Amino acid sequence: MKQYDTLVIGGGPAGLAAAIGAKKENGEVLLLEREQRLGGILKQCIHDGFGLIQFKERLSGPEYVERFIQEFLSLNIDYETLAFVIKIDKKEGFYHVSYVSKKGVCEVTVRSLIIATGCRERTAKQIQIHGTRPSGVFTAGCAQHFVNLLGEKIGNKCVILGSGDIGLIMARRLTLEGMKVLGVYEAKATPSGLTRNLVQCLEDYQIPLYLSHTVTRVFGEERLNAVEIMQVDEKMRPIEGTQEIVECDTLILSVGLIPENEITESLGIALDLKTKGPYVDDYFMSSLENVYICGNALHVNDLVDYVSESGLIAGKNSMRQHVSTQSVSIDLSDDFLYLVPQRVSVHDVQESMFYFRAKKEMKAADLLVKVNGKEIMKRRYKNLKPPEMEKIKVKWEMGKISENDHIEIELKEDLCVK
Amino acid sequence: MREMTCIVCPNGCHLTVNETNDEILVKGNLCPRGKDFAIQEIHHPMRTITSTVKTVYKEVPTIPIKVSKEFPKERIFDVMNQINHIQVDYVAQQGDVLMENVLGLGINIVVTSNILKETIHE
Ligand SMILES: Cc1cc2nc3c(=O)[nH]c(=O)nc-3n(C[C@H](O)[C@H](O)[C@H](O)COP(=O)(O)OP(=O)(O)OC[C@H]3O[C@@H](n4cnc5c(N)ncnc54)[C@H](O)[C@@H]3O)c2cc1C
Ligand code: SF4
């Protein structure tokens, strides 16, 4: 049976960076991708704005990811596309992995696994819409696939439900392709997408955004011909009497993304209810020894630069010699939507990197890190918004984390600042 | 006074712009690019676009493109119209220019992916 140090599952930006990271630590690496081409979701994200942090350039999705593909290929890393993992067994500290590919059923033994399977879109089933099941209802990513990769026209008049970034980007894209986008409807009182996307995708094209509104019903036999829109209260319950019928032949759902957990769950890895992805320690290792998670499979990122960063770190760490699953959890205050990594490994450590989102908009807030009740770090934040992920480096002045340490991270809104 | 969001980078700074007789005062920008953006936005908003163009290859029906630099916002649909007339009939690569100086605006249409090179082996 062929042996590798590290097996990477998923060939998007996270997986490519992970494979590169492990290879640079002199690892023998294999990457498996289920689609025909490497590149992940960025193959269809033809808009620009990628890589501003890492390359200080405004690249389109394909330009960004093809840079990594080039580096990946130049390192002669083994990989297979159209490859599906069917079984993973743990035996004597190694993982035996079976997968199918063009070569038939293959088996490999690896020391470390990196899960970089990205995320999936929530669909109509996961939200409450009544009525028939006509054609013309797409998730935003699916519409993006049809329009950008297949060059198809998906309809004439469209309504977008949800103000996530993909929905906003598709509102502009479909407008450019000659479709009439009647509006973006968002059930929450605040938009989910980045402010810059509200400006350059909606305002620039005079596409209206309706907050506290949702789609409650769809109409049409074969093809969608209208949707019912209702206003919602702060608990997102539709308000009687606000019904309005909007004629359209296309409904695009941009109602959120969740980490793809198929493989993580089959391995029995513990999940975090906040991120909907697995728990990891500051090495990006999950609750299972030598299994690492990175990119959107860990938590849904808005910037691909951080996705690549997490991949590179996970890849490097997958080549560590001494690994321990011993870690301490972090007590988070209520004002966090989430914080990743969720745990800190018990080891000698100078600093750890964390990514977090605030639960609500805050004009000003202090982030406090406490170990055993003693404040070791404080940082001021201005304009925290849930759609915008923040990054913070925590320096552990004691130089190590022990199993009895109690770590608390608090976010305190400063209400005096307006 | 005008308020706007800088769209140059993901920070999306909230800018307030005060125009007096001989000066434009910009506040809220975390970096100098924000000021340049605000001034341009007041005088003549500029944007870039990305899109796709058709190819003659069944396996890869479209490839992604971008315009090489910013151009006046009100010309977006004129430029789109030109883009929609392009059909690629060779194995184009990232960086190839498919159309030069579109509508005299000083912008080129540039291929942003190697998907054809990767997929089509003639
Ligand atoms: C539509 C959209 C628009 C976005 N816009 C922006 C933007 O403007 N700017 C920005 O910076 N970021 C943007 N992002 C975010 C960025 O694209 C993602 O953060 C990034 O692509 C995530 O990379 P990834 O490698 O984790 O996942 P993906 O790119 O999704 O890659 C995962 C890969 O794993 C493969 N895979 C999944 N399961 C398996 C399996 N069981 N076996 C084998 N392979 C598997 C998939 O086929 C896929 O190729 C956008 C994301 C989306 C979805
Ligand atoms: S002002 Fe500078 S930092 Fe702020 S959004 Fe614009 S470019 Fe980014």
Side-chain angles (χ1 to χ4, degrees), chain B residues 6 8-9 11-13 15 29-31 33-34:
Chain B
C6 177
V8 178
C9 92
N11 282 336
C13 293
L15 311 177
N29 52 318
L30 278 179
C31 86
R33 286 180 297 171

Side-chain angles (χ1 to χ4, degrees), chain A residues 81-361:
Chain A
T81 53
L82 293 174
F84 299 82
V85 171
I86 44 182
K87 206 160 109 213
I88 303 175
D89 288 319
K90 192 173 179 187
K91 269 188 215 135
E92 289 140 25
F94 288 89
Y95 293 95
H96 295 265
V97 180
S98 315
Y99 64 93
V100 265
S101 72
K102 285 162 275 185
K103 296 182 192 152
V105 180
C106 310
E107 285 181 45
V108 288
T109 302
V110 300
R111 200 166 57 94
S112 302
L113 271 178
I114 301 182
I115 297 174
T117 50
C119 59
R120 62 163 76 175
E121 294 180 277
R122 282 180 212 264
T123 58
K125 270 203 219 97
Q126 286 151 302
I127 53 171
Q128 292 286 318
I129 299 181
H130 301 281
T132 50
R133 284 282 171 266
S135 68
V137 183
F138 301 87
T139 61
C142 176
Q144 196 175 44
H145 181 92
F146 278 117
V147 175
N148 291 349
L149 292 181
L150 304 178
E152 285 180 18
K153 184 155 196 215
I154 60 167
N156 296 309
K157 270 164 91 177
C158 123
V159 158
I160 298 183
L161 176 62
S163 60
D165 287 307
I166 320 169
L168 303 179
I169 281 157
M170 284 315 289
R172 171 177 65 182
R173 182 74 191 114
L174 295 171
T175 306
L176 285 176
E177 285 298 330
M179 233 171 134
K180 178 77 193 154
V181 179
L182 300 166
V184 174
Y185 295 85
E186 168 61 59
K188 286 186 294 191
T190 51
S192 309
L194 300 174
T195 315
R196 66 194 296 259
N197 285 335
L198 296 172
V199 174
Q200 60 184 357
C201 298
L202 300 188
E203 282 173 29
D204 272 2
Y205 297 89
Q206 289 103 43
I207 299 168
L209 170 65
Y210 303 93
L211 296 171
S212 304
H213 279 76
T214 193
V215 171
T216 43
R217 193 174 280 276
V218 294
F219 303 96
E221 288 305 318
E222 297 270 299
R223 177 81 191 195
L224 182 74
N225 58 35
V227 296
E228 179 191 73
I229 307 276
M230 283 175 86
Q231 280 182 37
V232 296
D233 62 18
E234 62 284 0
K235 293 211 168 113
M236 296 210 225
R237 288 170 308 205
I239 303 171
E240 266 321 308
T242 60
Q243 284 91 336
E244 185 194 339
I245 304 294
V246 177
E247 279 178 33
C248 59
D249 62 8
T250 307
L251 171 64
I252 306 249
L253 305 170
S254 174
V255 288
L257 302 167
I258 30 177
E260 173 60 76
N261 288 320
E262 218 179 337
I263 294 176
T264 10
E265 279 189 333
S266 75
L267 288 169
I269 288 171
L271 297 187
D272 177 358
L273 290 175
K274 294 196 171 102
T275 55
K276 316 257 188 317
Y279 278 108
V280 290
D281 65 17
D282 51 336
Y283 287 108
F284 288 101
M285 190 171 84
S286 69
S287 56
L288 207 58
E289 198 173 76
N290 289 322
V291 178
Y292 296 80
I293 325 278
C294 57
N296 279 0
L298 177 59
H299 64 119
V300 176
N301 291 258
D302 34 64
L303 295 178
V304 71
D305 308 71
Y306 296 134
V307 167
S308 303
E309 185 176 272
S310 72
L312 206 58
I313 299 172
K316 256 173 114 169
N317 289 340
S318 75
M319 292 300 297
R320 288 184 297 164
Q321 287 309 316
H322 303 286
V323 172
S324 151
T325 47
Q326 259 202 333
S327 60
V328 294
S329 63
I330 297 170
D331 263 350
L332 276 192
S333 68
D334 284 346
D335 278 342
F336 281 103
L337 192 59
Y338 69 69
L339 178 123
V340 175
Q342 296 90 340
R343 304 180 71 89
V344 185
S345 168
V346 170
H347 64 321
D348 291 344
V349 59
Q350 302 300 325
E351 56 185 39
S352 311
M353 190 74 85
F354 293 93
Y355 305 88
F356 72 88
R357 291 177 196 274
K359 200 181 242 168
K360 55 174 204 254
E361 283 193 21

